[in-house]
Amino acid sequence: MSIPLMNVPLSGERVHVTYRLAGDEKLAHEKAAALVLEQTVEFPAELVPAGDIREKIVGHIVAFERADENHFTAVIDYAAEITGGELAQFLNVLFGNSSLKPGIRVEKFELPPALLEKFRGPRFGRAGWRARLGLPKRPLLATALKPMGLAPHALAELAYQFALGGIDLIKDDHGLADQPFCPFRERVEQCAQAVARANRATGMQCIYMPNITAPADRVIANARFARAAGAGALMIAPGITGLDTMRLLADDDSIALPIMAHPALQGSFVTHPDNGISHYALFGQLARLAGADASIFPNVGGRFSFSRAECASIVKGAQVKMGHVKPIFPTPGGGMSLERVQDMLELYGREVIFLVGGGLHTHSPNLVANCRAFRKMVEEF
Amino acid sequence: MSIPLMNVPLSGERVHVTYRLAGDEKLAHEKAAALVLEQTVEFPAELVPAGDIREKIVGHIVAFERADENHFTAVIDYAAEITGGELAQFLNVLFGNSSLKPGIRVEKFELPPALLEKFRGPRFGRAGWRARLGLPKRPLLATALKPMGLAPHALAELAYQFALGGIDLIKDDHGLADQPFCPFRERVEQCAQAVARANRATGMQCIYMPNITAPADRVIANARFARAAGAGALMIAPGITGLDTMRLLADDDSIALPIMAHPALQGSFVTHPDNGISHYALFGQLARLAGADASIFPNVGGRFSFSRAECASIVKGAQVKMGHVKPIFPTPGGGMSLERVQDMLELYGREVIFLVGGGLHTHSPNLVANCRAFRKMVEEF
């Protein structure tokens, strides 16, 4: 049979994706040549029909250069229309099948204006969230309610102490879901009330940020419940729910709360430098495109292994110009102690949320005093 | 403050997870000791409250042994209740935070009976899908509609030819979403009609299986539309939508069609043998737990890099005893030609779906004849 050609004109707008390819020049170029087919027509080159499909639907290698001794950088562009103007299919074009091939990493991407317009991105971003909190300048201070196993009233008591001590954002630990020993609704109600009670005592505006990560049919319901109960922001793990579920949450006008992305289950994208998606693109660009207002990642020097350079790259991805898509807060978690605050302020600057966990508990036996000491350090910056 | 203990009794049922840990014995044991905290309380050991939390919520290392010169295997068990009886939080317990640490791989898992009961798993499984198709014994033959860029009527014409040639399952290529040059609804209607027309001509029961991967709020609607339009099964990429969205789809009694999982964007879990999730657990166990009736993966010898042993391990994960959770079809894709059919039958046996793409187009210029030749080979097995 002869395969009919498509007859829908394309705009000419193209998505640019930069890939890092491991191997010598020959192998790396083979990988680039495979990418333009694999991410589009998935067809052997000789079978691709001539005309628009071969010329415009198949990706184009627009740059190819050596990055270091055994790596090359290829910039490939794709017709904007193949993404269908949606995040799910954009992810598929970006890295769907090629994620299955070793030695290919997505470094960064650029969307043309007409495609960017399809994405609302973060509803608040840095400036919007700061305005809500009445905190125009200094870094924000966050902590987590833990450990898993505590009943709602015990977590609420912790939340009260943190709020009393001047923490800005109190989130659920990401392991708090809807367990029988700590049901979601009870926890959210009690913690939100505890934080409100502390705010009445302090006159501050601490917010409670529950983890709404849940089965696919309960995420939005959890968010609505949390909002009604008094939560001031929401945390979700897009590696578990899918990035587009976070996008849906961010786009929902009936929820309209700031969103913090947690990196659970996303680690395999970044654990090997030859594979996956760069820290910059994953925790910066993609988190923003999917509507996060803040993006948690493991801080350098903690119990994880992100390097200082990787953390710095996330800061860049969180604020690189992406049309109207707002810059967001990098949120380094873990590895923070009072002794390291100065160093972290140098690395991250003031447009950051510091997420302090164990450090708040270990500094001294007085939790409220520890919170105040952290806050003082940050306020003095 | 003193942290109150939880007071909800636990059943004693435990989830067992086997991790592969890279490093010498000391490092590997440190990783195991970190896992029991990281996947549960996320708290330094010295801060974990004594009592139930320390004894039962924190994971237990129940086995630790050398795997090879530089790898160890640790079996860790977790209280079943910390998963909340749901897939999303189970994934979090399995690998959430530890995915961010290099040198840790999930090898396999075992759920206790009371937790397994929370999962329906595949609605059909091998036997159920075979019964629907009236094909009790032989391997099934699938192909994909491509290339991206063709209009719905052109894809429908291809579908007609495939169905006429005796292909059992005709799926959308995974890059077909809802693009302006090929809108989802038009494509699904036209392809379903074309296959029905061919079935009337042949008397066979070929089915059309559209790709319903979509924005989070459109997946279920797409599935319902596809069912109403005459689709006989559905394809979804859980790496894009989240595994729990596939579970939701499988659990939906108003849809009730067999589901084929596509591996797009899941590759980073398996591209490095020290990190991520094993092929066995990801494409076998997790696909089943999340309701897939068939699990696509790149076949050995094709343009991807899965080894013969990795493909064989997926076959095992697709059928290992998991309580009532049905065995499913491994679906090796790519790299299949008429010349390789015999070898593939030896590797996969008859409980398999062969997904043939380019091979159907390249064997000879006559597409219908090529389909018939593939089918004959498989029928003769």
Side-chain angles (χ1 to χ4, degrees), chain B residues 124 129 132-133 140 168-172 184 188 192 195 205-212 222-236 249 255-261 293-294 353:
Chain B
F124 298 93
W129 203 350
R132 281 172 77 90
L133 293 167
L140 305 182
D168 302 309
L169 312 168
I170 299 171
K171 76 175 192 67
D172 283 344
F184 174 79
V188 171
V195 170
Q205 298 185 55
C206 173
I207 66 169
Y208 168 57
M209 182 162 44
N211 175 31
I212 60 156
N222 276 3
R224 290 189 178 137
F225 180 87
R227 184 192 159 99
L234 303 168
M235 184 176 77
I236 186 169
L249 182 70
I255 296 169
L257 288 177
I259 293 169
M260 184 172 273
D293 298 286
I353 299 174

Side-chain angles (χ1 to χ4, degrees), chain A residues 26-373:
Chain A
K26 180 167 175 292
L27 178 61
H29 202 277
E30 283 170 9
K31 286 181 178 176
L35 271 162
V36 301
L37 297 167
E38 193 68 56
Q39 299 307 103
T40 59
V41 293
E42 279 190 79
F43 224 36
E46 65 276 16
L47 292 181
V48 178
D52 276 358
I53 296 183
R54 183 176 294 178
E55 289 162 22
K56 297 178 185 167
I57 297 288
V58 170
H60 302 158
I61 303 174
V62 293
F64 181 82
E65 59 186 33
R66 180 179 293 277
D68 62 32
E69 200 178 343
N70 205 36
H71 294 90
F72 289 77
T73 299
V75 181
I76 294 181
D77 80 9
Y78 303 104
E81 287 81 358
I82 72 171
T83 69
E86 65 189 42
L87 182 61
Q89 173 61 7
F90 170 66
L91 294 171
N92 200 15
V93 171
L94 185 75
F95 201 43
N97 261 12
S98 293
S99 74
L100 292 150
K101 295 181 173 180
I104 300 176
R105 187 168 84 155
V106 174
E107 287 289 335
K108 60 183 177 180
F109 57 84
E110 262 181 77
L111 305 188
L115 183 53
L116 262 184
E117 277 168 23
K118 307 274 189 183
F119 295 93
R120 174 179 195 132
R123 183 180 286 261
F124 299 93
R126 293 173 181 174
W129 203 351
R130 283 188 177 284
R132 282 172 76 90
L133 293 166
L135 295 171
K137 281 197 173 166
R138 67 167 171 80
L140 306 181
L141 202 51
T143 192
L145 300 173
K146 54 172 83 177
M148 178 194 280
L150 291 182
H153 68 89
L155 294 167
E157 174 58 25
L158 275 172
Y160 181 76
Q161 307 260 338
F162 288 138
L164 215 56
I167 300 295
D168 302 309
L169 312 168
I170 300 173
K171 76 173 192 67
D172 283 344
D173 210 16
H174 88 285
L176 304 183
D178 190 26
Q179 290 103 343
F181 48 80
C182 189
F184 173 79
R185 294 190 163 207
E186 287 179 36
R187 178 175 81 245
V188 171
E189 281 180 341
Q190 294 186 32
C191 291
Q193 285 164 12
V195 170
R197 188 161 48 92
N199 283 344
R200 287 193 296 273
T202 62
M204 292 190 283
Q205 298 186 55
C206 174
I207 67 169
Y208 168 57
M209 182 164 42
N211 174 31
I212 61 155
T213 308
D217 46 344
R218 299 218 307 259
V219 171
I220 296 294
N222 276 4
R224 291 189 176 137
F225 180 87
R227 184 192 160 98
L234 303 168
M235 184 176 77
I236 185 169
I240 293 174
T241 64
L243 273 164
D244 196 66
T245 296
M246 184 164 76
R247 188 276 314 160
L248 181 66
L249 182 69
D251 282 356
D252 191 323
D253 291 334
S254 77
I255 296 168
L257 288 176
I259 294 169
M260 184 173 272
H262 189 283
L265 211 64
Q266 289 186 310
S268 297
F269 286 114
V270 298
T271 38
H272 193 287
D274 282 356
N275 303 322
I277 302 178
S278 73
H279 299 72
Y280 172 96
L282 182 65
F283 298 118
Q285 290 189 290
L286 284 174
R288 283 166 76 191
L289 206 60
D293 298 285
S295 178
I296 302 176
F297 58 91
N299 187 30
V300 57
R303 61 191 195 276
F304 294 86
S305 62
F306 283 24
S307 71
R308 194 176 175 94
E310 287 163 349
C311 292
S313 79
I314 295 168
V315 175
K316 285 187 185 150
Q319 65 194 28
V320 62
K321 177 77 181 159
M322 284 170 64
H324 68 282
V325 177
K326 302 181 177 82
I328 64 172
F329 288 112
T331 306
M336 188 165 179
S337 59
L338 276 175
E339 296 68 35
R340 287 201 62 217
V341 168
Q342 195 55 43
D343 177 52
M344 287 180 65
L345 288 170
E346 281 165 23
L347 173 56
Y348 296 110
R350 67 178 182 85
E351 293 297 342
V352 65
I353 299 174
F354 290 127
L355 177 55
V356 190
L360 280 182
H361 296 265
T362 47
H363 182 62
S364 88
N366 185 328
L367 200 55
V368 175
N370 295 349
C371 294
R372 288 185 178 140

Side-chain angles (χ1 to χ4, degrees), chain A residues 4 6 38 42-43 82 86 92 96 99 102 146 149-150 173-174 179 215-216 218 241 244 265 267 272 303 305, chain B residues 3-4 6 38 42-43 82 86 92 96 99 102 146 149-150 173-174 179 215-216 218 241 244 265 267 272 303 305:
Chain A
M6 60 177 226
E38 193 68 56
E42 279 190 79
F43 224 36
I82 72 171
E86 65 189 42
N92 200 15
S99 74
K146 54 172 83 177
L150 291 182
D173 210 16
H174 88 285
Q179 290 103 343
R218 299 218 307 259
T241 64
D244 196 66
L265 211 64
H272 193 287
R303 61 191 195 276
S305 62
Chain B
I3 298 178
M6 62 176 223
E38 193 68 57
E42 278 191 81
F43 224 36
I82 73 172
E86 65 189 40
N92 200 15
S99 73
K146 56 173 84 176
L150 291 183
D173 209 16
H174 88 287
Q179 289 102 343
R218 299 218 307 258
T241 64
D244 196 66
L265 212 63
H272 193 287
R303 63 192 193 274
S305 63

